[in-house]
Amino acid sequence: MARPKNQDERRAHLIQAVIDTTAETGLRSLSLADVARKAGLTRGAVLYYYDDLDALLREAYRAGMERFCDRRDALRDTIESPALLLRETIRAGLPTGPDDALMRLLYEFDVLAENSPLHSTLVESMYERQLAAYRAVLERGAGTGVFHLALDTSTAALNLVALEDAYGLHIVAGNSQISVERALEAMFDAARAFGAPVA
């Protein structure tokens, strides 16, 4: 990696180093030395920007929250149609493919959550944001009469999050039978079955 010059770029560079290193070695064995090596820095230089590895991991997870939660929340301000909004909300929650390193990092957090208060807190926070994103879309659709839900909004949202997580895991694991497009179509079909037609 080329070394960036200003502090914001250096921090972003370090977060990317965490994401890339985790994709190669896994989160369980990740160390500050690994991150420093990937970033082309000394361990001391990394500690200049972050107090410890947990601080780096929190920031990496925040990058995941921004991509999968903040951006989805922003869709509600730009897309009026509930059917189209649901479609784009589903699309934005799935990985781009098996090489989606950020999504792989988020799934590794899920695996380690029961053994670490930090991981558990971050995973639960992400889960609540996922649920809230789907509930908001479903409530808008039901409130405008576009959706005629066969389930209450909380249960429908719960099911969509479960499908999102399951398909996402298969995608980043490289399951050749579940492509991004196949997962999208399956989730669209499920949403329709719940009474929420996708545009």
Side-chain angles (χ1 to χ4, degrees):
M1 286 187 172
R3 293 188 184 185
K5 295 180 181 176
N6 69 49
Q7 288 201 8
D8 287 342
E9 287 180 352
R10 179 62 58 84
R11 288 178 186 278
H13 182 69
L14 287 169
I15 296 312
Q16 191 59 51
V18 170
I19 294 167
D20 293 343
T21 305
T22 302
E24 295 169 6
T25 67
L27 186 58
R28 193 180 300 273
S29 62
L30 184 71
S31 70
L32 269 176
D34 294 330
V35 175
R37 192 163 35 253
K38 175 62 77 173
L41 298 170
T42 65
R43 189 174 181 277
V46 175
L47 290 172
Y48 175 80
Y49 293 96
Y50 293 97
D51 292 339
D52 53 25
L53 183 59
D54 278 355
L56 258 171
L57 290 173
R58 276 193 296 272
E59 195 65 13
Y61 205 84
R62 189 203 59 75
M65 293 281 273
E66 179 181 340
R67 175 177 160 192
F68 295 106
C69 298
D70 296 350
R71 291 183 189 174
R72 282 206 278 194
D73 289 348
L75 291 174
R76 294 199 296 274
D77 297 328
T78 59
I79 301 174
E80 186 174 339
S81 162
L84 180 57
L85 178 58
L86 180 56
R87 180 185 192 89
E88 294 309 309
T89 299
I90 291 171
R91 185 181 299 279
L94 289 172
T96 57
D99 58 348
D100 192 327
L102 179 54
M103 183 65 95
R104 184 179 298 276
L105 172 67
L106 298 179
Y107 280 118
E108 292 221 33
F109 266 91
D110 287 349
V111 171
L112 298 178
E114 76 174 66
N115 299 317
S116 162
L118 168 66
H119 295 135
S120 180
T121 298
L122 294 173
V123 167
E124 287 182 22
S125 175
M126 172 76 84
Y127 180 69
E128 285 298 326
R129 294 285 303 277
Q130 288 174 281
L131 280 174
Y134 280 114
R135 272 198 307 263
V137 178
L138 294 169
E139 285 168 1
R140 180 188 293 185
T144 57
V146 175
F147 298 162
H148 301 282
L149 297 176
L151 303 170
D152 63 84
T153 55
S154 292
T155 303
L158 183 76
N159 278 287
L160 288 170
V161 171
L163 289 171
E164 178 176 288
D165 287 344
Y167 286 130
L169 180 58
H170 279 285
I171 291 166
V172 298
N175 184 338
S176 62
Q177 298 183 58
I178 302 181
S179 65
V180 176
E181 287 305 314
R182 180 70 188 94
L184 282 170
E185 288 305 320
M187 288 192 69
F188 294 163
D189 286 345
R192 292 183 190 106
F194 299 159
V198 177

